Amino acid sequence: MYAAIALQELSDGPGSLREFREVAGRFPRFAPAWYRVGEASLRSGELDAAEEAFTTLVRLAPGESRGPMGLSEVRFRRGDATNALPLVERALELEPGSRPALYLLGQIFRSQGRGEEARVAISAGTGEARQPMTDPWAETAPEQVRLLPGVFQQAEALSASGRPEAAVALLERARRFHPDHAGLLNQLAVALNRCGRPGQALGLLAPVLAKDPGAVAPRITRSHSLAQAGNLEAAQSEAREAVHLAPRLAQSHLALANAHLAAEQDAEALSALDEASRCDPANAEILLESATIRWRNLRDAAVALALLDRAIDLQPSLVPALRLRAEVQEAIGDSEGARRTTGVIRWLAARTGGPP
């Protein structure tokens, strides 16, 4: 099967599909092979073959979400959105929060004229490529990754899933092979910050910046480390230098905002966040941060709601923004608005496995 995957990676779609079919024929109870047949058939437009493969996958692995999701896409491509919908909903029951399934759900809603639901589902499903069905070898393969881009990607995924200590361990192993790599040392410092170990992060960053004082990324990381360690004046100084070196980089201004927030300087933090938003106007998280300060610290409901509306317009599935909007709406007596916003939160929770 992995020989066939290699052909696929080399852009030999027809050749890889022939190999996947041979594997499925020789090992008819090996569910990952049927997933590969179904997915490759779908990509080549062979809908009948894809339907057969995904039907077999559902039978062999009834708890696997990719079976009903594949069948849903087959139905959708045939123009049968009505019968595609319960299948993709079943996929989300099996794997709450599956972004590919949410994206497909949004496409189905859009075809049915359910515009607002489509916007929320597509937003929730954007940003993640389809991940193949796992198998015993795939579960151990990441341990063999040695190229740094792959290591960085794995470390970021570990941190995003709430396992920064595992990210530190992974990067420390890679450091044995690349002891002086500036990018690796910076990524390790970021992971250490996320673990609440800013002192160790600062120790790593000092030689990096001594060698290259104009490097922006480690200076931003150093600002966050200093703020976390309570050295707020130095954190602001580092962030200002990052802004000087890269004035159009949103992360520079975000580091400055973080340092001002740690010092309880709301007005200065908001100014830095405004600059960050100008640098990255499509970033809903920046608007949410500004709205949070406006409401929690300054009790400015009108400006907070305006910022939240912009953030939600950019990212309709941004649950923290939706929660804050519902809170502000309730506080100012807009019960109907709060009810509608809470309805969106509950809709997302039911399909992502998050809290209602």
Side-chain angles (χ1 to χ4, degrees), residues 114-180:
R114 299 163 67 175
E116 190 56 37
E117 289 172 287
R119 286 182 70 246
V120 174
I122 288 173
S123 170
T126 298
E128 182 179 300
R130 293 184 184 222
Q131 298 299 315
M133 182 178 174
T134 191
D135 58 75
W137 196 76
E139 291 172 3
T140 60
E143 298 173 9
Q144 312 306 320
V145 172
R146 293 289 180 268
L147 296 178
L148 287 180
V151 172
F152 292 167
Q153 187 177 23
Q154 287 185 45
E156 188 61 32
L158 288 167
S159 290
S161 65
R163 301 171 60 199
E165 291 286 0
V168 168
L170 175 66
L171 292 164
E172 285 284 15
R173 288 197 298 271
R175 187 183 173 197
R176 295 200 298 267
F177 303 99
H178 308 277
D180 301 314

Side-chain angles (χ1 to χ4, degrees), residues 186-225:
N186 182 62
Q187 288 294 111
L188 180 54
V190 169
L192 287 166
N193 281 342
R194 289 169 174 166
C195 292
R197 295 153 64 183
Q200 290 175 262
L202 289 168
L204 289 174
L205 294 167
V208 174
L209 286 168
K211 185 179 291 186
D212 183 6
V216 176
R219 200 167 289 281
I220 290 171
T221 305
R222 180 174 162 80
S223 176
H224 285 286
S225 301

Side-chain angles (χ1 to χ4, degrees), residues 1 37 113 223 260:
M1 188 176 77
V37 172
S223 176
H260 282 306

Side-chain angles (χ1 to χ4, degrees), residues 12-27:
D12 184 0
S16 64
L17 181 51
R18 284 194 301 271
E19 293 288 332
F20 288 137
R21 285 173 174 157
E22 182 178 342
V23 174
R26 289 175 60 192
F27 305 99

Side-chain angles (χ1 to χ4, degrees), residues 5-125:
I5 293 168
L7 288 175
Q8 194 174 52
E9 292 291 325
L10 293 169
S11 300
D12 184 0
S16 64
L17 181 51
R18 284 194 301 271
E19 293 288 332
F20 288 137
R21 285 173 174 157
E22 182 178 342
V23 174
R26 289 175 60 192
F27 305 99
R29 297 195 59 77
F30 184 46
W34 287 106
Y35 161 75
R36 298 282 182 175
V37 172
E39 192 71 17
S41 298
L42 198 57
R43 300 303 147 226
S44 66
E46 300 181 40
L47 299 185
D48 289 344
E51 181 174 30
E52 180 185 358
F54 285 125
T55 299
T56 304
L57 177 58
V58 169
R59 177 172 55 82
L60 293 174
E64 169 59 53
S65 68
R66 290 163 184 80
M69 187 173 75
L71 288 173
S72 177
E73 185 163 350
V74 169
R75 302 282 193 281
F76 182 60
R77 288 196 182 197
R78 286 175 173 160
D80 186 3
T82 300
N83 287 312
L85 183 57
L87 287 163
V88 75
E89 291 277 20
R90 174 59 180 158
L92 284 165
E93 289 174 11
L94 292 169
E95 188 182 350
S98 165
R99 288 194 175 187
L102 284 163
Y103 191 85
L104 177 59
L105 178 64
Q107 290 179 304
I108 293 170
F109 281 156
R110 188 164 56 190
S111 75
Q112 295 178 326
R114 299 163 67 175
E116 190 56 37
E117 289 172 287
R119 286 182 70 246
V120 174
I122 288 173
S123 170

Side-chain angles (χ1 to χ4, degrees), residues 313-351:
D313 187 55
L314 287 169
Q315 191 174 336
S317 62
L318 187 58
V319 172
L322 290 164
R323 288 189 183 282
L324 186 59
R325 183 167 73 174
E327 177 185 326
V328 178
Q329 288 170 328
E330 194 67 50
I332 64 173
D334 182 8
S335 299
E336 178 59 25
R339 186 190 64 77
R340 288 195 303 269
T341 303
T342 302
V344 177
I345 296 169
R346 287 175 176 157
W347 188 94
L348 282 164
R351 289 156 181 82

